Amino acid sequence: MRGATHAKWAACAVAVALTATACGGGSDSGGGGAGIISSSWGDPQNPLEPANTNEVQGGKVLDMLFRGLKRYDPKTGEAKNMVADKIETTDSQNFTITLKDGWKFSNDEPVTAQSFVDAWNYAADVRNKQNNSPFFADIVGYADLHPESGDPKGKTMSGLVVKDAKTFTVALKEKFSTWPDTLGYQAFSPLPKGFFTDHAGWLSKPVGNGPYTVDSYTKGTAIKMRTWEGYTGPDKAQNGGVDLKVYTDNNTAYTDLISGNLDLVDDVPAQQLKNVKKDLGDRYINQPALIIQTLTFPLYDAAWGKPGMEKVRRGISMAINRDEITKQIFQGTRTPAKDWTSAALGDKGGYSATACGDGCKFDPAQAKKLIEEGGGLPGGKVTLTSNVDTGSHREWMDAVCNSINNALGKGAVCTVNPIGTFADFRNQQSAFKLTGPFRSGWQADYPLIQNFLEPLYYTGASSNYGKFNNKDFDKLVDEANQESDTAKATAKFQDAEKILAEQMPSIPLWYQNGSAGFSERLSGVALNQFSVPVYDQIKVS
């Protein structure tokens, strides 16, 4: 969530002879003569398929390219109907979905019920190896299309039925009262026929139904999005397009912003936080977001997953001085975590200031005791892994290791394994090749406590990269999903969270604010609750 071709973008800040348009910032124009925004970006791990993208960088593109049944309000996070006209149910298990008139893809193909059903069946089909396929596991027939082993028994999920061009029904295996609110997640986007008939062609230049189209995409360098004049949705783009440019170092992106060679940086590096207000003034945004940073343990590795190691995992957590690290490195853009969700959810949404309890408090003496009681660090050491191209990850990993080493008093038992790019890190993470705690920051897909727990810790879930497996946790999540009363459902999820506190499959580190800096050319810049710029509402002067 990068290659040699990036060098030409990194060089822009010092290449004085180049025009502003060539490097970013500039007066390039798009639809209606509106200007083009240049913005920093990280190279996505996977092709830009909605059901195969479960990281932030690819999600930024999909958020411009697609509109689903629902969309999350950029200010409130509320799930509001977009392509859907109605989503009706009498039992929270069987749903009838009716589409609005007038929606189409940028190739003029109408968006129909079949567009959704075909996309969801493709996502669920085990042969297509889509990362987000577990999001469809609630639908009747998923197991036939996505068996644990072997080939599918059919081509479609029996729980999806097209009634007419504007209507389809969905049958879930069990009651799931908040299921409609998940449908703003990009994995549930519709797909045009060309996705299936010319898949390679579609991947090279994706076609969606959102306010932007893809003009060009060079992996490792940039993607150019342009305003689609034929878009009929309510959130028509206020600019001519967005050039997302790959940076392998967000310090370089920040330098380009200050030099006038880039319009927007949506991840201000920690090294620049002491200067950012002086540099940008009111063109700096710092606001709470639905993001948590954690360290996940590879429980698939016997050294970390064997019985008794929960004490060691808890001890490591208590050896981390979150207060000092967030103050010294992040200067008000991070808050020490006290649970596995996000403070931005609020108490009613499921945030708990007590869920992690003492496990998230800095206590060197107790940390040493627990680690010793649990049998000690595997091999006498612990290695932290993260990509280091964005997010100031090297700085905080060094700080966490220093805290652990100082707390335990046994020398440099904690070391850092930096991986140069996000894509390389994700490839190792998703292949379960990491042998020590690894960064597992989570940006919510939708503003529900369920999204902070189920995708990361439910057995076999799409982002359960530590392979945590706990039947009691799964049972509580299932019960919460079936609960029709929102308050009772939230309480059930919090009961499930107590198991995370006992087992510590991951260490909550801190809640992350959304941060951004932008040039004088831009106005109307805002971040949504997920910390992603609301690109379509930005204006260029």
Short mmCIF file of all heavy atoms in Angstrom, two decimals, residues 404-450:
data_model
loop_
_atom_site.label_atom_id
_atom_site.label_comp_id
_atom_site.label_asym_id
_atom_site.label_seq_id
_atom_site.Cartn_x
_atom_site.Cartn_y
_atom_site.Cartn_z
N ILE A 404 11.97 -1.44 23.19
CA ILE A 404 11.99 -2.85 23.61
C ILE A 404 13.36 -3.21 24.20
O ILE A 404 13.46 -3.85 25.25
CB ILE A 404 11.63 -3.77 22.44
CG1 ILE A 404 10.15 -3.57 22.05
CG2 ILE A 404 11.90 -5.23 22.78
CD1 ILE A 404 9.75 -4.28 20.77
N ASN A 405 14.41 -2.80 23.51
CA ASN A 405 15.75 -3.13 23.98
C ASN A 405 16.04 -2.49 25.34
O ASN A 405 16.62 -3.13 26.23
CB ASN A 405 16.79 -2.68 22.96
CG ASN A 405 16.76 -3.52 21.69
OD1 ASN A 405 16.37 -4.68 21.72
ND2 ASN A 405 17.15 -2.92 20.58
N ASN A 406 15.63 -1.24 25.52
CA ASN A 406 15.85 -0.57 26.80
C ASN A 406 15.04 -1.22 27.91
O ASN A 406 15.51 -1.36 29.05
CB ASN A 406 15.48 0.92 26.69
CG ASN A 406 16.45 1.68 25.82
OD1 ASN A 406 17.59 1.28 25.64
ND2 ASN A 406 15.99 2.80 25.25
N ALA A 407 13.80 -1.62 27.58
CA ALA A 407 12.93 -2.22 28.59
C ALA A 407 13.45 -3.58 29.04
O ALA A 407 13.42 -3.91 30.23
CB ALA A 407 11.52 -2.35 28.05
N LEU A 408 13.93 -4.38 28.09
CA LEU A 408 14.37 -5.74 28.43
C LEU A 408 15.79 -5.76 28.97
O LEU A 408 16.16 -6.70 29.71
CB LEU A 408 14.25 -6.64 27.20
CG LEU A 408 12.83 -6.76 26.60
CD1 LEU A 408 12.81 -7.79 25.48
CD2 LEU A 408 11.81 -7.12 27.67
N GLY A 409 16.63 -4.80 28.59
CA GLY A 409 17.98 -4.71 29.13
C GLY A 409 18.89 -5.86 28.77
O GLY A 409 19.79 -6.23 29.55
N LYS A 410 18.69 -6.44 27.59
CA LYS A 410 19.52 -7.56 27.15
C LYS A 410 20.26 -7.27 25.85
O LYS A 410 20.57 -8.16 25.07
CB LYS A 410 18.67 -8.82 26.99
CG LYS A 410 18.09 -9.33 28.30
CD LYS A 410 17.38 -10.67 28.13
CE LYS A 410 16.88 -11.18 29.48
NZ LYS A 410 16.21 -12.51 29.36
N GLY A 411 20.51 -6.00 25.62
CA GLY A 411 21.21 -5.62 24.40
C GLY A 411 20.26 -5.46 23.23
O GLY A 411 19.05 -5.31 23.40
N ALA A 412 20.80 -5.53 22.02
CA ALA A 412 20.03 -5.29 20.79
C ALA A 412 19.28 -6.55 20.36
O ALA A 412 19.54 -7.13 19.29
CB ALA A 412 20.94 -4.80 19.68
N VAL A 413 18.33 -6.98 21.21
CA VAL A 413 17.56 -8.19 20.87
C VAL A 413 16.48 -7.88 19.84
O VAL A 413 15.97 -8.78 19.18
CB VAL A 413 16.92 -8.81 22.13
CG1 VAL A 413 17.99 -9.30 23.08
CG2 VAL A 413 15.99 -7.83 22.81
N CYS A 414 16.11 -6.61 19.71
CA CYS A 414 15.12 -6.20 18.71
C CYS A 414 15.84 -5.50 17.57
O CYS A 414 16.61 -4.56 17.79
CB CYS A 414 14.09 -5.25 19.32
SG CYS A 414 12.80 -4.70 18.16
N THR A 415 15.61 -5.95 16.37
CA THR A 415 16.21 -5.36 15.19
C THR A 415 15.14 -5.10 14.13
O THR A 415 14.01 -5.59 14.24
CB THR A 415 17.31 -6.27 14.59
OG1 THR A 415 16.73 -7.55 14.30
CG2 THR A 415 18.46 -6.44 15.56
N VAL A 416 15.51 -4.35 13.11
CA VAL A 416 14.58 -3.92 12.07
C VAL A 416 14.94 -4.57 10.74
O VAL A 416 16.11 -4.64 10.37
CB VAL A 416 14.59 -2.39 11.94
CG1 VAL A 416 13.82 -1.94 10.71
CG2 VAL A 416 14.01 -1.75 13.19
N ASN A 417 13.92 -5.05 10.04
CA ASN A 417 14.09 -5.59 8.69
C ASN A 417 13.36 -4.69 7.72
O ASN A 417 12.16 -4.86 7.48
CB ASN A 417 13.53 -7.03 8.62
CG ASN A 417 13.47 -7.56 7.19
OD1 ASN A 417 14.34 -7.25 6.38
ND2 ASN A 417 12.46 -8.36 6.89
N PRO A 418 14.03 -3.67 7.15
CA PRO A 418 13.36 -2.74 6.24
C PRO A 418 13.22 -3.32 4.84
O PRO A 418 14.17 -3.89 4.29
CB PRO A 418 14.29 -1.52 6.24
CG PRO A 418 15.65 -2.10 6.48
CD PRO A 418 15.44 -3.31 7.36
N ILE A 419 12.04 -3.21 4.26
CA ILE A 419 11.81 -3.65 2.88
C ILE A 419 11.56 -2.40 2.04
O ILE A 419 10.75 -1.54 2.40
CB ILE A 419 10.61 -4.61 2.81
CG1 ILE A 419 10.94 -5.90 3.58
CG2 ILE A 419 10.26 -4.95 1.35
CD1 ILE A 419 9.82 -6.91 3.62
N GLY A 420 12.25 -2.29 0.93
CA GLY A 420 12.31 -1.05 0.17
C GLY A 420 11.01 -0.51 -0.36
O GLY A 420 10.80 0.70 -0.38
N THR A 421 10.10 -1.38 -0.78
CA THR A 421 8.86 -0.89 -1.37
C THR A 421 7.65 -1.56 -0.75
O THR A 421 7.72 -2.69 -0.25
CB THR A 421 8.83 -1.15 -2.89
OG1 THR A 421 8.69 -2.56 -3.13
CG2 THR A 421 10.07 -0.62 -3.57
N PHE A 422 6.55 -0.85 -0.83
CA PHE A 422 5.29 -1.38 -0.31
C PHE A 422 4.89 -2.66 -1.04
O PHE A 422 4.44 -3.63 -0.43
CB PHE A 422 4.19 -0.34 -0.44
CG PHE A 422 2.85 -0.84 0.01
CD1 PHE A 422 2.53 -0.91 1.34
CD2 PHE A 422 1.90 -1.25 -0.92
CE1 PHE A 422 1.30 -1.38 1.77
CE2 PHE A 422 0.66 -1.73 -0.50
CZ PHE A 422 0.37 -1.79 0.84
N ALA A 423 5.04 -2.67 -2.36
CA ALA A 423 4.65 -3.85 -3.14
C ALA A 423 5.44 -5.07 -2.71
O ALA A 423 4.88 -6.17 -2.55
CB ALA A 423 4.83 -3.57 -4.63
N ASP A 424 6.75 -4.93 -2.51
CA ASP A 424 7.58 -6.06 -2.08
C ASP A 424 7.17 -6.54 -0.69
O ASP A 424 7.10 -7.75 -0.42
CB ASP A 424 9.06 -5.68 -2.09
CG ASP A 424 9.63 -5.54 -3.49
OD1 ASP A 424 8.98 -6.01 -4.44
OD2 ASP A 424 10.72 -4.95 -3.64
N PHE A 425 6.92 -5.58 0.18
CA PHE A 425 6.48 -5.93 1.53
C PHE A 425 5.17 -6.70 1.50
O PHE A 425 5.02 -7.75 2.14
CB PHE A 425 6.34 -4.66 2.37
CG PHE A 425 5.61 -4.85 3.67
CD1 PHE A 425 6.16 -5.63 4.69
CD2 PHE A 425 4.38 -4.25 3.90
CE1 PHE A 425 5.49 -5.81 5.89
CE2 PHE A 425 3.71 -4.42 5.09
CZ PHE A 425 4.26 -5.20 6.09
N ARG A 426 4.21 -6.20 0.73
CA ARG A 426 2.91 -6.85 0.65
C ARG A 426 3.03 -8.25 0.06
O ARG A 426 2.32 -9.17 0.48
CB ARG A 426 1.96 -5.99 -0.19
CG ARG A 426 1.42 -4.79 0.54
CD ARG A 426 0.31 -5.15 1.48
NE ARG A 426 -0.87 -5.59 0.76
CZ ARG A 426 -1.95 -6.12 1.32
NH1 ARG A 426 -1.98 -6.31 2.61
NH2 ARG A 426 -2.99 -6.47 0.59
N ASN A 427 3.90 -8.41 -0.90
CA ASN A 427 4.07 -9.73 -1.51
C ASN A 427 4.59 -10.73 -0.48
O ASN A 427 4.14 -11.88 -0.45
CB ASN A 427 5.01 -9.65 -2.71
CG ASN A 427 4.38 -8.98 -3.91
OD1 ASN A 427 3.15 -8.98 -4.05
ND2 ASN A 427 5.19 -8.41 -4.78
N GLN A 428 5.53 -10.31 0.35
CA GLN A 428 6.04 -11.21 1.38
C GLN A 428 4.99 -11.45 2.46
O GLN A 428 4.83 -12.57 2.96
CB GLN A 428 7.30 -10.62 2.01
CG GLN A 428 8.50 -10.57 1.07
CD GLN A 428 9.77 -10.17 1.77
OE1 GLN A 428 10.04 -10.60 2.90
NE2 GLN A 428 10.57 -9.32 1.13
N GLN A 429 4.26 -10.41 2.79
CA GLN A 429 3.22 -10.53 3.81
C GLN A 429 2.12 -11.49 3.35
O GLN A 429 1.71 -12.39 4.09
CB GLN A 429 2.64 -9.15 4.10
CG GLN A 429 1.53 -9.12 5.14
CD GLN A 429 0.82 -7.78 5.17
OE1 GLN A 429 0.32 -7.32 4.15
NE2 GLN A 429 0.79 -7.14 6.32
N SER A 430 1.63 -11.30 2.13
CA SER A 430 0.52 -12.11 1.64
C SER A 430 0.94 -13.53 1.30
O SER A 430 0.09 -14.42 1.18
CB SER A 430 -0.13 -11.44 0.42
OG SER A 430 0.81 -11.19 -0.59
N ALA A 431 2.25 -13.76 1.14
CA ALA A 431 2.76 -15.12 0.90
C ALA A 431 3.13 -15.81 2.21
O ALA A 431 3.62 -16.94 2.20
CB ALA A 431 3.96 -15.07 -0.03
N PHE A 432 2.90 -15.13 3.35
CA PHE A 432 3.17 -15.67 4.69
C PHE A 432 4.63 -16.09 4.83
O PHE A 432 4.94 -17.17 5.35
CB PHE A 432 2.22 -16.84 4.99
CG PHE A 432 0.78 -16.50 4.81
CD1 PHE A 432 0.07 -16.91 3.69
CD2 PHE A 432 0.11 -15.71 5.74
CE1 PHE A 432 -1.27 -16.57 3.51
CE2 PHE A 432 -1.23 -15.36 5.57
CZ PHE A 432 -1.91 -15.79 4.45
N LYS A 433 5.53 -15.22 4.39
CA LYS A 433 6.96 -15.50 4.44
C LYS A 433 7.67 -14.78 5.57
O LYS A 433 8.86 -15.01 5.79
CB LYS A 433 7.61 -15.11 3.10
CG LYS A 433 7.20 -15.97 1.92
CD LYS A 433 7.93 -15.56 0.66
CE LYS A 433 7.57 -16.47 -0.51
NZ LYS A 433 8.28 -16.09 -1.77
N LEU A 434 6.98 -13.93 6.29
CA LEU A 434 7.60 -13.17 7.36
C LEU A 434 7.70 -14.00 8.63
O LEU A 434 6.78 -14.75 8.97
CB LEU A 434 6.82 -11.87 7.61
CG LEU A 434 6.74 -10.94 6.39
CD1 LEU A 434 5.81 -9.76 6.68
CD2 LEU A 434 8.12 -10.45 5.99
N THR A 435 8.81 -13.87 9.35
CA THR A 435 9.07 -14.73 10.51
C THR A 435 9.11 -13.96 11.83
O THR A 435 9.48 -14.51 12.85
CB THR A 435 10.40 -15.48 10.32
OG1 THR A 435 11.46 -14.53 10.12
CG2 THR A 435 10.33 -16.42 9.11
N GLY A 436 8.73 -12.69 11.77
CA GLY A 436 8.66 -11.89 12.99
C GLY A 436 7.53 -10.89 12.87
O GLY A 436 6.85 -10.82 11.83
N PRO A 437 7.28 -10.10 13.90
CA PRO A 437 6.19 -9.13 13.86
C PRO A 437 6.33 -8.17 12.68
O PRO A 437 7.43 -7.70 12.38
CB PRO A 437 6.33 -8.37 15.19
CG PRO A 437 7.13 -9.27 16.06
CD PRO A 437 8.03 -10.03 15.17
N PHE A 438 5.22 -7.88 12.01
CA PHE A 438 5.27 -7.01 10.84
C PHE A 438 4.18 -5.95 10.93
O PHE A 438 3.14 -6.15 11.55
CB PHE A 438 5.13 -7.82 9.55
CG PHE A 438 3.94 -8.74 9.50
CD1 PHE A 438 2.70 -8.29 9.05
CD2 PHE A 438 4.05 -10.07 9.91
CE1 PHE A 438 1.60 -9.13 9.00
CE2 PHE A 438 2.95 -10.92 9.88
CZ PHE A 438 1.73 -10.45 9.41
N ARG A 439 4.46 -4.82 10.28
CA ARG A 439 3.49 -3.72 10.27
C ARG A 439 2.21 -4.16 9.57
O ARG A 439 2.24 -4.78 8.52
CB ARG A 439 4.07 -2.51 9.53
CG ARG A 439 3.13 -1.32 9.53
CD ARG A 439 3.71 -0.16 8.75
NE ARG A 439 3.69 -0.39 7.32
CZ ARG A 439 2.65 -0.16 6.53
NH1 ARG A 439 1.51 0.27 7.04
NH2 ARG A 439 2.73 -0.37 5.23
N SER A 440 1.09 -3.81 10.18
CA SER A 440 -0.19 -4.20 9.59
C SER A 440 -1.21 -3.07 9.78
O SER A 440 -2.26 -3.27 10.37
CB SER A 440 -0.70 -5.50 10.21
OG SER A 440 -0.65 -5.44 11.62
N GLY A 441 -0.83 -1.89 9.34
CA GLY A 441 -1.74 -0.77 9.46
C GLY A 441 -3.05 -1.05 8.74
O GLY A 441 -3.07 -1.69 7.69
N TRP A 442 -4.14 -0.56 9.29
CA TRP A 442 -5.46 -0.83 8.73
C TRP A 442 -6.24 0.45 8.56
O TRP A 442 -6.48 1.19 9.51
CB TRP A 442 -6.24 -1.78 9.64
CG TRP A 442 -7.57 -2.20 9.08
CD1 TRP A 442 -8.81 -1.81 9.52
CD2 TRP A 442 -7.80 -3.09 8.00
NE1 TRP A 442 -9.79 -2.42 8.77
CE2 TRP A 442 -9.20 -3.21 7.83
CE3 TRP A 442 -6.96 -3.82 7.14
CZ2 TRP A 442 -9.78 -4.02 6.85
CZ3 TRP A 442 -7.54 -4.63 6.17
CH2 TRP A 442 -8.93 -4.72 6.03
N GLN A 443 -6.60 0.73 7.33
CA GLN A 443 -7.50 1.82 7.01
C GLN A 443 -8.86 1.19 6.75
O GLN A 443 -8.99 0.32 5.90
CB GLN A 443 -7.01 2.57 5.78
CG GLN A 443 -7.96 3.65 5.31
CD GLN A 443 -7.73 3.99 3.84
OE1 GLN A 443 -7.72 3.11 2.98
NE2 GLN A 443 -7.52 5.25 3.56
N ALA A 444 -9.87 1.62 7.50
CA ALA A 444 -11.18 0.97 7.40
C ALA A 444 -11.74 1.02 5.98
O ALA A 444 -11.54 1.99 5.26
CB ALA A 444 -12.16 1.62 8.37
N ASP A 445 -12.43 -0.04 5.60
CA ASP A 445 -13.13 -0.07 4.32
C ASP A 445 -14.49 0.61 4.45
O ASP A 445 -15.01 1.18 3.50
CB ASP A 445 -13.36 -1.52 3.87
CG ASP A 445 -12.05 -2.30 3.78
OD1 ASP A 445 -11.14 -1.82 3.11
OD2 ASP A 445 -11.96 -3.37 4.41
N TYR A 446 -15.07 0.52 5.65
CA TYR A 446 -16.33 1.17 5.96
C TYR A 446 -16.38 1.40 7.47
O TYR A 446 -15.70 0.70 8.24
CB TYR A 446 -17.54 0.34 5.48
CG TYR A 446 -17.42 -1.15 5.68
CD1 TYR A 446 -17.78 -1.75 6.88
CD2 TYR A 446 -16.95 -1.96 4.65
CE1 TYR A 446 -17.67 -3.12 7.05
CE2 TYR A 446 -16.85 -3.33 4.82
CZ TYR A 446 -17.21 -3.91 6.01
OH TYR A 446 -17.09 -5.26 6.19
N PRO A 447 -17.10 2.42 7.93
CA PRO A 447 -17.03 2.85 9.33
C PRO A 447 -17.86 2.00 10.29
O PRO A 447 -18.81 2.46 10.90
CB PRO A 447 -17.55 4.29 9.27
CG PRO A 447 -18.48 4.30 8.11
CD PRO A 447 -17.90 3.35 7.10
N LEU A 448 -17.48 0.72 10.42
CA LEU A 448 -18.13 -0.19 11.35
C LEU A 448 -17.06 -0.93 12.15
O LEU A 448 -16.01 -1.30 11.62
CB LEU A 448 -18.99 -1.21 10.60
CG LEU A 448 -20.16 -0.69 9.75
CD1 LEU A 448 -20.77 -1.84 8.96
CD2 LEU A 448 -21.21 -0.02 10.62
N ILE A 449 -17.33 -1.19 13.44
CA ILE A 449 -16.38 -1.94 14.25
C ILE A 449 -16.11 -3.31 13.63
O ILE A 449 -15.00 -3.84 13.71
CB ILE A 449 -16.88 -2.09 15.71
CG1 ILE A 449 -15.84 -2.82 16.56
CG2 ILE A 449 -18.24 -2.75 15.77
CD1 ILE A 449 -16.22 -2.93 18.03
N GLN A 450 -17.12 -3.86 12.97
CA GLN A 450 -16.96 -5.15 12.31
C GLN A 450 -15.78 -5.17 11.35
O GLN A 450 -15.04 -6.13 11.24
CB GLN A 450 -18.26 -5.50 11.57
CG GLN A 450 -18.24 -6.81 10.82
CD GLN A 450 -17.92 -6.63 9.34
OE1 GLN A 450 -17.80 -5.50 8.85
NE2 GLN A 450 -17.76 -7.74 8.63
#
